[in-house]
Amino acid sequence: MNRVYFLHALGASAREWDQVIADLGDVGACVPLCLPGFGGSPDADLDVAGLVDWFSEQVAAHQPQSWAVVGHSMGGKIATLAAARARDGDPAFAGLAAVVLLAASPPASEPMAEERRAEMIDWFANGRIGPDEAATFVDANTAQRLPEPLRTQAIADVERSRRLAWTGWLKRDSREDWREAAGTLAVPALIVAGGEDGDLGEDAQRRLNLPHYRNARVEVVAGAAHLLPYEQPAAVATLIRDHITQAFGRALPAPFVALLASDRVSRGTRAVMTERHAAPPRGKVLSPQQRAVLAALIETVLPGAADPVDLAARIDAMLTSGIGDGWRSAELPADAEGWTSGLDTLDHLSSSFADASPADREQCLQSIADETADTEGGAFDPRQMRLWFAEARSEIARQWMALPATMARIGYDGFAVGGDGPHKQGYRLTAADMIEDWQQLEVQA
Amino acid sequence: MSAAADVTDVVIVGSGAGGAPLAARLSQAGVSVIVLEAGRAFRPDDHVADELAADIYWMEERLSGGADATAFGANNSGMGVGGSTLHWGAFCPRPDARDLRLRSESGRGEDWPIAHDELIGYIDAVERFIGVSGPARYPWDVGRRYELPPVARNAPANAMARGCTALNITATDAPAALVSRDREQPHWGERKACINCGTCHQGCRTAAKATTDTSWLPLAVAHGAEVRAECRVVDIERDGNGRVTGVVYVCRGERRRLSCRALFLCAGGVETPRLLLNLDLANSSGQVGRNFMAHVATQVWGRFDADMRMNRGYPSSLITEDMMRAGDADHAGGYLIQSLGVMPVTLATNLARGAGLWGRALVDLLDDYNRLGGIGINGECLPSDDNRLTLADETDAYGLRKARIDFSYGPNERAIDAHARKTMTAIWEAAGARDIFAVDRSAHTIGTCRMGQDGDRAVVDADGRSFDIDNLFICDNSVFPSALAANPALTIMALSLRTADRFLATRG
């Protein structure tokens, strides 16, 4: 089952999501959480690592197969660091499909004026936050005064904040620098800023959160400051729905995610498969036209099996990284030039390979394989073209077969043969027509 | 460059099958040894059970030419403390006596300058040290004994056994350099019994498979040797008489110097000759880089009705040596047949490249992965003047010219390939496979610095000593005068021990 976890802001509670969730419609089971010390939950003095641990317990309690996290303000820092643990193969966070950050606190120390920080800490000097202080907090964080009964509810939630949780965040957690641990994340992310927010507005989101996500877009919601879910629930819900629906749409099948999360899989293997399932880093070697020709080539090499645009992006990323497969034909130039020349020659050969019919593409490739293609005017001669096509189809097959989605498609479970315990778990049965209880993957193709 | 005096009796370049046994035996004899390894050190459970992420291969680019250009990278080239033993298949048939006397027998190829009996003595020592699993009775050498019982057969092995029985071909459990029971390895610890995970080529996570980092190197270190990881040798220093005085290596960007009394190059059939050619050393014979050989490694595949899931189990769990000298052979030498368990990515690239497939045919086969089964050979390759390693004009990150390897099958390799296709197709038909097809493939990097009796025709003598430089030795698959049908690692380790003994016996 797909689940969406919601992590609220400082001084709020699970209730801040009520209207957003109502507006979301059916994106999966929504789980708004109350962070420790907020919304009536018991107080706790948790640092950032403690908060992420707490969140891992909440996720594990539901054992979701695919899930997303929406983090608001302080919840955003937790969301990003959970995504980092998922990237690093932490089984508790396996299956993370998407991240949404709303006016999110970044992995770095959060920008905040010291006098404001001191003032908010001081609100607990007499043991609890008073109604005036709570009202000041809510009103200072909204573009316009919230309508009732929302404003009263928001103020009441601030008053319900417990001392350790409130002061712990302000004194310590918001200042902790987790930039290195966050690193670069491949999971698809939507980063939302309130058009009238202050310290955590669009500029801060672009500077402090966006660099951690290589596959992210930033949206700015007008008519909102910091308390976006209260201020513009419909706009926020639309953004979340579009992002999450798309991400869940390309999630791995549930049994596959469950196996990937299991203790049969090592962290290292889980991490590389999680990374590979996400979109690749941006490639810079191929032109849009060459990408289009490559996508058409992929469609012809693996008809109906691969996502040609995705796989073309992966090959461009491979060419951009400069890390190939350890060798190349001596008759071809270095990989980047080899691929651009090969694709250009292919396009030239068939006068627009991308627009050619499947039958014409097939015929073109056959003539290349037979060395009968007339490459006059192209960068490669017929022999080079034959060698390049062998390299190209081999690389296309290699990249495609390595995708977790392809493993799921063919019912392959050979990645689940170890784990990190002292006794690795391989196969007990190796003969034909005999499988073990844990081998539940069905062939999808 | 570091000014500190760094001196040792012996520097060994490369920590794989060629360098590691030698390091152990020299250390045991009291020689001070430093092993320089280009790659990094791993613990067994650092290895990642993923074909693209496994980082135990030599992935720096090589240029491959010729009519049958051979694939490098993950196909045959290792990097890391352990060298190619990190990824090797551990399939370890012994070298056949007839293969060492191929020229005498057939008039083709080369004889080895070492007697088979002597080599087998060392093979036996290697097997006893690393632990080999195999059948109780080896049909082609009935006196042979293996320490450990065979590992479980997988589905392709059972299919091959079926097909061979129907055709009256003898087949049995393959000798495998892995432990089928928990086994204590001196100076390392307990190597856990093979768990049939099938990821030998991605690195063994239980240390069941014999690798030098869990066997020979700990033995060497226990006797005082030092293994330095991530150290790339880029230069060899000589005195006025041309004798080696030390090496220069780069470690994490820093150039360092290490003096030595003797140098052993054990960097494999590509990197050893590449370094010598780049430095223009030990090549008065003009033989460095010549006679590159790769085993004919043709595979035959087919679909089965049964659920095969060939990724399970030790990949090469069945062998036949019946084709080592087939009665109807029209070629010199012979070949071994083994059952195959091939992981999806490797299979996909082999089908796309080696079988020339694309389109619906390729997708249908890969979708049917769980029902495919294959068998393959390791076949003799004769040395040839046309097959050689030279230097390309392009340079690597260290300013050394990249290797270019030209390789084409000659008539003998073609004849072996054709014979093997016919034989394997018959076996697969008898086993019940459908849609049978073959995949072109060659494997291993052999030759390029061959040993021999004659300094005009060889780079090193039978002891591995350079004819040109008396304190420079080579010990890896580059010294092989002919390919031998048997997979090379066991023979390399045996030669490594012998090279050490010869060095100890003859040093001044």
Side-chain angles (χ1 to χ4, degrees):
Chain A
M1 173 130 199
N2 295 337
R3 287 186 188 274
V4 186
Y5 294 92
F6 293 83
L7 300 171
H8 61 72
L10 180 73
S13 77
R15 294 194 298 181
E16 78 164 41
W17 304 105
D18 286 353
Q19 194 56 48
V20 171
I21 289 171
D23 289 346
L24 261 180
D26 185 22
V27 296
C30 291
V31 187
L33 297 167
C34 283
L35 271 56
F38 297 99
S41 68
D43 200 7
D45 188 22
L46 298 177
D47 59 10
V48 171
L51 287 169
V52 181
D53 288 343
W54 164 83
F55 181 43
S56 79
E57 289 163 20
Q58 308 306 308
V59 176
H62 294 105
Q63 298 186 316
Q65 270 135 3
S66 274
W67 59 283
V69 59
V70 182
H72 180 202
S73 193
M74 85 181 270
K77 189 165 190 168
I78 302 169
T80 294
L81 295 171
R85 287 207 197 163
R87 173 202 57 207
D88 297 338
D90 185 339
F93 289 124
L96 175 63
V99 171
V100 179
L101 301 180
L102 303 180
S105 184
S109 178
E110 182 182 316
M112 191 186 302
E114 281 311 312
E115 52 274 30
R116 201 159 72 82
R117 188 192 304 270
E119 181 194 345
M120 289 195 287
I121 292 168
D122 196 46
W123 288 346
F124 263 101
N126 59 356
R128 62 185 296 267
I129 299 179
D132 292 350
E133 291 156 343
T136 302
F137 180 80
V138 170
D139 292 343
N141 280 302
T142 48
Q144 293 184 325
R145 186 177 265 240
L146 289 178
E148 295 298 347
L150 274 185
R151 181 168 177 271
T152 301
Q153 178 191 309
I155 291 168
D157 273 346
V158 176
E159 288 184 74
R160 284 202 291 170
S161 303
R162 309 301 297 268
R163 186 174 64 84
L164 293 175
W166 178 275
T167 57
W169 171 259
L170 288 168
K171 285 181 179 173
R172 180 191 55 223
D173 301 2
S174 63
R175 286 172 155 150
E176 287 185 19
D177 184 352
W178 284 84
R179 283 176 294 183
E180 193 179 329
T184 304
L185 298 159
V187 64
L190 169 66
I191 297 174
V192 183
E196 298 177 40
D197 200 354
D199 288 340
L200 291 175
E202 182 185 358
D203 173 62
Q205 295 306 323
R206 289 193 182 277
R207 274 190 304 111
L208 300 174
N209 271 320
L210 187 59
H212 290 289
Y213 289 93
R214 72 163 197 238
N215 180 21
R217 69 194 167 93
V218 175
E219 294 282 347
V220 178
V221 174
H226 191 61
L227 299 185
L228 293 142
Y230 281 128
E231 298 179 86
Q232 295 292 344
V236 166
T238 301
L239 287 169
I240 294 174
R241 183 173 54 241
D242 291 351
H243 180 65
I244 287 180
T245 305
Q246 197 183 2
F248 281 155
R250 60 182 305 280
L252 293 162
F256 192 89
V257 176
L259 184 56
L260 190 57
S262 77
D263 66 3
R264 297 190 60 88
V265 180
S266 73
R267 274 177 188 256
T269 300
R270 189 182 298 110
V272 300
M273 289 176 66
T274 300
E275 162 82 11
R276 198 176 299 137
H277 180 64
R282 194 179 304 276
K284 296 173 185 142
V285 168
L286 302 181
S287 69
Q289 176 63 17
Q290 287 160 345
R291 281 260 200 131
V293 175
L294 177 54
L297 175 63
I298 290 165
E299 182 55 34
T300 315
V301 169
L302 298 169
D307 173 346
V309 172
D310 174 79
L311 209 53
R314 289 175 190 279
I315 287 171
D316 198 2
M318 180 275 293
L319 295 173
T320 304
S321 76
I323 299 166
D325 59 1
W327 68 286
R328 72 171 207 260
S329 166
E331 294 174 57
L332 296 176
D335 276 353
E337 188 191 340
W339 279 77
T340 53
S341 297
L343 291 167
D344 289 346
T345 306
L346 180 61
D347 203 28
H348 171 78
L349 264 177
S350 54
S351 45
S352 189
F353 189 79
D355 299 326
S357 70
D360 287 346
R361 288 181 191 166
E362 175 61 28
Q363 194 181 12
C364 176
L365 293 185
Q366 193 60 57
S367 71
I368 291 170
D370 298 341
E371 250 179 68
T372 58
D374 175 13
T375 61
E376 189 69 37
F380 281 162
D381 64 26
R383 178 172 165 78
Q384 287 177 307
M385 209 49 201
R386 177 175 68 75
L387 292 168
W388 174 75
F389 176 43
E391 166 66 22
R393 66 177 186 263
S394 160
E395 184 62 25
I396 289 167
R398 186 172 88 110
Q399 296 272 348
W400 177 69
M401 198 70 241
L403 296 175
T406 310
M407 297 182 196
R409 173 186 168 103
I410 66 169
Y412 176 74
D413 55 31
F415 58 91
V417 289
D420 291 312
H423 295 279
K424 312 295 182 223
Q425 307 172 72
Y427 291 103
R428 284 185 297 103
L429 303 177
T430 57
D433 287 331
M434 298 170 75
I435 58 170
E436 301 166 40
D437 290 344
W438 63 271
Q439 295 183 273
Q440 296 293 327
L441 302 185
E442 304 268 347
V443 176
Q444 311 277 316
Chain B
M1 194 174 294
S2 167
D6 202 2
V7 184
T8 183
D9 290 338
V10 161
V11 166
I12 297 173
V13 181
S15 63
L22 169 62
R25 188 152 285 194
L26 293 183
S27 306
Q28 285 176 302
V31 176
S32 66
V33 171
I34 293 178
V35 179
L36 299 176
E37 164 57 46
R40 68 183 180 96
F42 297 86
R43 287 177 306 130
D45 60 6
D46 287 340
H47 298 306
V48 179
D50 181 276
E51 290 176 89
L52 291 199
D55 52 356
I56 55 178
Y57 315 112
W58 190 284
M59 297 302 270
E60 292 174 20
E61 190 170 71
R62 291 153 176 177
L63 277 61
S64 193
D68 301 278
T70 197
F72 295 96
N75 187 42
N76 52 21
S77 304
M79 184 187 257
V81 174
S84 289
T85 65
L86 292 174
H87 80 255
W88 77 310
F91 183 73
C92 65
R94 291 181 174 183
D96 190 293
R98 295 165 293 187
D99 284 359
L100 271 77
R101 309 260 310 145
L102 191 61
R103 186 165 194 87
S104 300
E105 179 195 70
S106 70
R108 284 182 276 180
E110 291 290 334
D111 287 350
W112 281 46
I114 298 172
H116 186 258
D117 283 352
E118 186 189 358
L119 187 62
I120 289 300
Y122 284 103
I123 295 260
D124 191 56
V126 170
E127 289 178 345
R128 275 187 279 113
F129 182 69
I130 64 177
V132 178
S133 300
R137 180 183 173 279
Y138 200 68
W140 306 277
D141 181 9
V142 292
R144 191 187 302 183
R145 293 291 173 266
Y146 287 108
E147 174 191 331
L148 298 154
V151 290
R153 293 184 186 185
N154 63 1
N158 289 328
M160 176 173 152
R162 219 162 48 230
C164 286
T165 301
L167 299 178
N168 231 355
I169 295 171
T170 302
T172 191
D173 300 292
L178 45 79
V179 297
S180 52
R181 290 196 290 246
D182 293 353
R183 178 180 186 270
E184 192 65 24
Q185 185 69 40
H187 308 292
W188 190 78
E190 187 171 67
R191 291 166 56 197
K192 297 285 187 195
C194 175
I195 58 169
N196 308 311
C197 73
T199 64
C200 300
H201 296 290
Q202 288 73 48
C204 181
R205 301 185 78 241
T206 68
K209 187 179 83 171
T211 57
T212 61
D213 62 326
T214 58
S215 57
W216 300 106
L217 294 174
L219 176 63
V221 169
H223 288 87
E226 186 190 340
V227 180
R228 296 185 185 171
E230 297 174 68
C231 292
R232 175 74 63 99
V233 173
V234 294
D235 200 2
I236 297 172
E237 298 187 326
R238 285 88 72 192
D239 64 15
N241 297 321
R243 298 187 86 237
V244 173
T245 56
V247 297
V248 177
Y249 64 95
V250 178
C251 180
R252 298 190 186 93
E254 186 191 345
R255 275 175 85 89
R256 296 181 187 170
R257 220 186 140 260
L258 176 57
S259 298
C260 61
R261 294 187 178 82
L263 174 64
F264 290 76
L265 294 182
C266 308
V270 175
E271 294 309 314
T272 290
R274 182 168 85 97
L275 187 62
L276 291 177
L277 288 175
N278 263 288
L279 301 177
D280 193 21
L281 275 185
N283 195 22
S284 67
S285 64
Q287 287 288 321
V288 174
R290 288 195 177 272
N291 300 302
F292 177 87
M293 295 169 278
H295 283 125
V296 180
T298 312
Q299 301 174 344
V300 163
W301 290 89
R303 281 190 171 93
F304 288 84
D305 292 331
D307 193 22
M308 303 288 280
R309 297 176 184 251
M310 62 167 155
N311 59 291
R312 299 176 302 167
Y314 173 62
S316 322
S317 48
L318 208 82
I319 187 172
T320 176
E321 293 199 10
D322 273 15
M323 303 301 145
M324 282 300 292
R325 293 296 182 272
D328 61 350
D330 52 357
H331 50 259
Y335 58 93
L336 302 165
I337 304 179
Q338 60 181 271
S339 57
L340 297 176
V342 174
M343 298 302 219
V345 174
T346 306
L347 181 74
T349 54
N350 285 347
L351 295 188
R353 188 188 287 278
L357 293 175
W358 73 86
R360 207 62 246 171
L362 178 61
V363 172
D364 286 351
L365 275 172
L366 293 174
D367 278 344
D368 245 357
Y369 175 85
N370 281 344
R371 294 187 178 274
L372 298 183
I375 41 176
I377 68 159
N378 219 45
E380 181 68 74
C381 175
L382 299 181
S384 160
D385 270 348
D386 297 331
N387 294 334
R388 60 185 295 199
L389 181 152
T390 53
L391 297 179
D393 292 333
E394 296 169 43
T395 53
D396 68 9
Y398 299 89
L400 297 177
R401 289 164 70 188
K402 294 181 180 179
R404 172 185 171 135
I405 298 94
D406 285 279
F407 182 70
S408 307
Y409 283 171
N412 203 63
E413 288 75 41
R414 299 224 174 278
I416 287 177
D417 174 59
H419 192 278
R421 282 171 189 242
K422 207 171 110 200
T423 308
M424 291 193 288
T425 300
I427 293 171
W428 239 213
E429 281 169 351
R434 294 176 286 110
D435 307 332
I436 297 169
F437 64 97
V439 171
D440 287 325
R441 186 175 163 268
S442 56
H444 306 127
T445 63
I446 309 166
T448 69
C449 291
R450 70 179 176 189
M451 62 175 162
Q453 315 280 15
D454 175 356
D456 292 334
R457 296 189 69 243
V459 178
V460 295
D461 66 17
D463 296 348
R465 185 191 303 265
S466 160
F467 283 109
D468 294 356
I469 302 173
D470 72 358
N471 67 343
L472 173 68
F473 297 78
I474 300 176
C475 183
D476 54 32
N477 43 7
S478 58
V479 304
F480 283 27
S482 71
L484 313 177
N487 299 49
L490 188 62
T491 303
I492 300 169
M493 288 190 253
L495 279 181
S496 186
L497 293 182
R498 183 180 183 277
T499 301
D501 281 354
R502 298 302 302 155
F503 175 80
L504 293 169
T506 60
R507 70 182 154 158

